[in-house]
Amino acid sequence: MAYSDKVVDHYNHPRNVGTLDKSAAEVGTGLVGAPECGDVMRLQIRVNPETNVIEDAKFKTFGCGSAIASSSLATEWVKGKTIDEAMAITNTDIVKELALPPVKIHCSVLAEDAIRAAIGDWKKKNNVAETAAVAVAH
Amino acid sequence: MSNEISNNGVVVSESSAPLPAGVTLPIYMDNHATTPIDPRVLDAMLPYFGKVFGNAASRNHVFGWEAEQAVEKAREQIAKLIGATAKEIIFTSGATESNNLAIKGIAEMYRERGNHIITQVTEHKAVLDTCKKLEKQGYRVTYLPVQADGLIDLEDLKRAIDDKTILVSIMYANNEIGVIQPVAAIGKLCHEKGVIFHTDAVQAVGKIPVDVQKDNIDVLSLSGHKIYGPKGVGALYVRRRNPRVQISEQINGGGHERGMRSGTLNVPGIVGLGMACEISGQEMEAEGKREKELRDYMRAKFEKALDYVHVNGNMDHHLPGNLNMSFVYVEGESLLMGINDIAVSSGSACTSATLEPSYVLKALGLGDDVAHSSIRFGLGRFNTKADVDYVSDKVIDVVSKLRELSPLYEMVKEGIDLSKIEWAAH
């Protein structure tokens, strides 16, 4: 299979692998996918409550090289962004950056879902109402 | 020499450690898919591309006679390997054609006697797709399930045979999990019931003793390129007595091969297939023992170094060179990506558009998640112990690395029951 250099690089050097304390108030955890489908992604964010800026992100992924690369890239992209900015990341951005083949587009969808799930979890924990940012992202 | 290799311009291995003695990359360990041609086979074939180029069907000159003589010698070599007579060997383009010819040819020939065919769910697609096509033409097909170890239950077979059954087609050894079916008992049962027994013996012939008499086989498919012979040539054994099996031809024109398979014979290929059979027969016992030792050694290394690994298929009825292992909580394709200086096969056909895991592994009762985590290692004549050490060390290294990345492995280590989680399927 012809993977792009970027996918291979993320696979060989995954960024931000690890686990944040999911019980902490400032941490949001998104767990998406299913083992039967061959992909499970867990993406976690730590948000600064003053600024709403994502100060740290970690991931762990069970899945193919594209799934690992998509989630690794997602952690890189959300770090330093505000919650609203992170919500604006879409799977097509990930597809483009990693040059994913059509059969692997679902990996990028999963990464987008993981970002949203992590943000959703953080919002729920912190009683943040769903904002207009969701609409902007679409 | 560094172990960096280039694949589509991408450096796939970053380690600069020197390779162990005797290892040349990439390593081929996918011998169920195909095998390299043995140099002795190639030597035997070469004259038949140039000097002896005649058409084996040309009966009126020396060019034809020489070609015919070579073909008849190959027929003898093949027959000897499987306990048949030369007259019972029909040449084809390979095992896919042999399977098609056997199943369609018998279905057509015996249509008046009945329309029921029995096969099993773990057959190769060359059998399953052929049966599916016959179903559209009004045949009834029973697909027997397999047990968790990959073997069929003879009682299931006994129950499935009825007065309309004309053919049972059960493979000798499975191409994914290496499980060897109780062929002699299946054949005996078929003969008691007056049913023809066909076996796709592609993975078994030349690897383990196959004898059409002892095994009660009526029709048998084999292929050249799985036994260090050339691609594009295979054979079909068709029993001539007790019982005499008749097959309706599927390709017309010229009436070659006793009318069962027309087409000018592929003389160099046939010579190669014959030589491949002769060598396999001579070396089978020693080679089988060697491959089995390497296979067991590799399995032991995995089980010692890693938790949550298991073998698929009954290891007491198993091809010597096959090892199908599940590395649970690691996805097969990402594992292959980390070892892409090694040619093995993923249990999960993840590159296909459907992303469906192997139907063979699922038939054993493996969940999709475990089926996605399985790798088939196929040891062959040219694999060495150094190869096995390199491959197993590398796989252990990559599995460990991917498990550091795996949320499932982390959760299981924390004592979380993964089956209790409500996964968002996508």
Side-chain angles (χ1 to χ4, degrees):
Chain A
M1 182 179 339
Y3 270 132
S4 71
D5 291 0
K6 280 181 181 163
V7 171
V8 174
D9 184 45
H10 276 283
Y11 173 85
N12 284 327
H13 309 282
R15 296 16 160 202
N16 307 309
V17 176
T19 308
L20 298 173
D21 175 11
K22 68 176 177 216
S23 62
E26 69 273 20
V27 171
T29 300
L31 181 67
V32 298
E36 299 77 46
C37 303
D39 307 275
V40 175
M41 260 180 214
R42 190 188 64 200
L43 193 140
Q44 296 183 297
I45 51 171
R46 176 183 286 123
V47 183
N48 182 323
E50 311 278 305
T51 59
N52 279 2
V53 168
I54 298 169
E55 291 185 332
D56 198 7
K58 295 280 182 204
F59 88 95
K60 282 204 176 188
T61 290
F62 162 82
C64 65
S66 294
I68 291 169
S70 297
S71 42
S72 172
L73 178 67
T75 57
E76 275 197 318
W77 276 0
V78 297
K79 266 168 93 166
K81 284 196 169 67
T82 64
I83 288 292
D84 289 351
E85 285 166 349
M87 282 299 279
I89 296 168
T90 70
N91 83 292
T92 47
D93 302 332
I94 295 168
V95 171
K96 226 178 276 172
E97 173 70 14
L98 296 174
L100 295 181
V103 70
K104 295 298 183 185
I105 284 172
H106 82 281
C107 298
S108 68
V109 174
L110 209 58
E112 183 190 308
D113 288 350
I115 296 172
R116 280 154 195 267
I119 292 172
D121 181 56
W122 174 82
K123 281 183 173 172
K124 214 166 111 188
K125 271 185 186 170
N126 293 276
N127 294 319
V128 178
E130 292 291 323
T131 63
V134 178
V136 171
H138 288 282
Chain B
M1 188 179 163
S2 93
N3 64 348
E4 292 186 3
I5 65 158
S6 181
N7 185 355
N8 296 330
V10 178
V11 175
V12 294
S13 174
E14 303 207 324
S15 163
S16 57
L19 277 176
V23 172
T24 312
L25 295 181
I27 292 172
Y28 188 75
M29 210 174 271
D30 197 16
N31 286 283
H32 303 86
T34 193
T35 52
I37 236 174
D38 189 298
R40 294 167 289 181
V41 171
L42 185 59
D43 282 347
M45 290 170 69
L46 281 172
Y48 295 90
F49 286 105
K51 204 167 116 244
V52 193
F53 64 87
N55 186 330
S58 297
R59 288 278 162 78
N60 49 1
H61 53 65
V62 68
F63 296 88
W65 300 335
E66 280 180 345
E68 191 189 10
Q69 209 173 16
V71 166
E72 293 315 311
K73 184 185 171 195
R75 239 186 263 281
E76 296 278 355
Q77 289 167 315
I78 297 159
K80 191 179 172 208
L81 182 62
I82 60 170
T85 62
K87 282 184 176 167
E88 295 173 306
I89 304 299
I90 305 297
F91 290 110
T92 65
S93 63
T96 294
E97 190 195 329
S98 292
N99 286 334
N100 271 263
L101 175 57
I103 296 168
K104 290 174 182 166
I106 289 164
E108 219 173 281
M109 184 62 84
Y110 295 88
R111 182 69 183 83
E112 282 180 15
R113 195 193 285 180
N115 71 335
H116 182 224
I117 295 166
I118 300 170
T119 184
Q120 59 167 350
V121 290
T122 53
E123 287 293 314
H124 191 271
K125 291 283 185 190
V127 168
L128 293 176
D129 287 355
T130 304
C131 287
K132 274 180 202 146
K133 176 143 191 197
L134 287 173
E135 278 187 285
K136 286 184 191 150
Q137 296 170 6
Y139 289 87
R140 189 161 51 87
V141 180
T142 301
Y143 300 90
L144 295 176
V146 293
Q147 303 168 96
D149 63 358
L151 290 170
I152 63 161
D153 184 341
L154 284 171
E155 290 302 315
D156 286 346
L157 176 61
K158 207 179 275 180
R159 275 191 295 273
I161 296 174
D162 61 32
D163 59 353
K164 294 285 181 210
T165 309
I166 49 174
L167 171 68
V168 169
S169 179
I170 301 284
M171 72 196 334
Y172 208 116
N174 186 268
N175 52 310
E176 283 191 42
I177 53 173
V179 167
I180 300 165
Q181 295 292 347
V183 169
I186 295 169
K188 185 165 174 276
L189 185 59
C190 289
H191 284 178
E192 283 164 7
K193 304 268 187 182
V195 175
I196 297 169
F197 175 39
H198 164 251
T199 187
D200 172 359
V202 161
Q203 299 289 346
V205 166
K207 313 282 169 57
I208 54 172
V210 171
D211 186 308
V212 293
Q213 299 305 339
K214 286 183 197 152
D215 293 336
N216 306 308
I217 295 163
D218 299 321
V219 186
L220 174 149
S221 304
L222 63 89
S223 177
H225 75 108
K226 308 283 191 188
I227 50 172
Y228 312 92
K231 292 172 180 63
V233 64
L236 187 67
Y237 156 78
V238 184
R239 180 177 283 276
R240 270 165 73 90
R241 53 174 62 97
N242 302 321
R244 179 181 181 84
V245 177
Q246 289 179 287
I247 287 186
S248 172
E249 82 282 6
Q250 302 300 306
I251 295 176
N252 301 99
H256 307 76
E257 298 298 281
R258 291 164 49 211
M260 280 189 256
R261 200 278 189 178
S262 288
T264 299
L265 290 179
N266 166 12
V267 177
I270 286 167
V271 168
L273 173 57
M275 190 61 181
C277 284
E278 189 176 320
I279 295 168
S280 294
Q282 285 162 358
E283 301 180 354
M284 186 191 300
E285 201 181 329
E287 177 59 16
K289 188 166 170 279
R290 191 187 75 90
E291 284 179 18
K292 184 179 178 300
E293 279 170 13
L294 287 180
R295 192 263 323 271
D296 293 344
Y297 169 72
M298 181 153 73
R299 175 189 175 183
K301 278 188 77 164
F302 288 138
E303 287 175 342
K304 188 164 176 239
L306 299 167
D307 53 3
Y308 303 106
V309 295
H310 60 83
V311 290
N312 297 309
N314 187 317
M315 294 307 278
D316 296 327
H317 302 276
H318 213 95
L319 289 174
N322 174 274
L323 182 65
N324 190 309
M325 289 211 81
S326 298
F327 300 92
V328 191
Y329 313 124
V330 166
E331 195 271 337
E333 193 193 312
S334 61
L335 174 52
L336 292 193
M337 193 174 166
I339 57 168
N340 63 355
D341 47 6
I342 300 164
V344 292
S345 176
S346 168
S348 76
C350 208
T351 47
S352 72
T354 57
L355 306 166
E356 281 292 314
S358 151
Y359 67 92
V360 172
L361 294 177
K362 287 184 73 175
L364 305 186
L366 262 64
D368 282 7
D369 51 339
V370 180
H372 274 301
S373 302
S374 306
I375 300 287
R376 176 184 73 180
F377 301 90
L379 289 162
R381 187 178 286 169
F382 303 108
N383 287 125
T384 61
K385 180 150 186 291
D387 288 348
V388 170
D389 272 319
Y390 181 85
V391 168
S392 43
D393 289 345
K394 184 108 186 218
V395 168
I396 290 165
D397 183 51
V398 175
V399 167
S400 305
K401 181 187 143 198
L402 289 172
R403 280 185 174 168
E404 285 299 305
L405 264 181
S406 170
L408 303 179
Y409 187 68
E410 183 190 288
M411 289 155 96
V412 166
K413 284 286 183 189
E414 285 172 356
I416 296 169
D417 183 353
L418 295 179
S419 66
K420 296 270 156 52
I421 293 176
E422 275 187 40
W423 299 102
H426 59 289

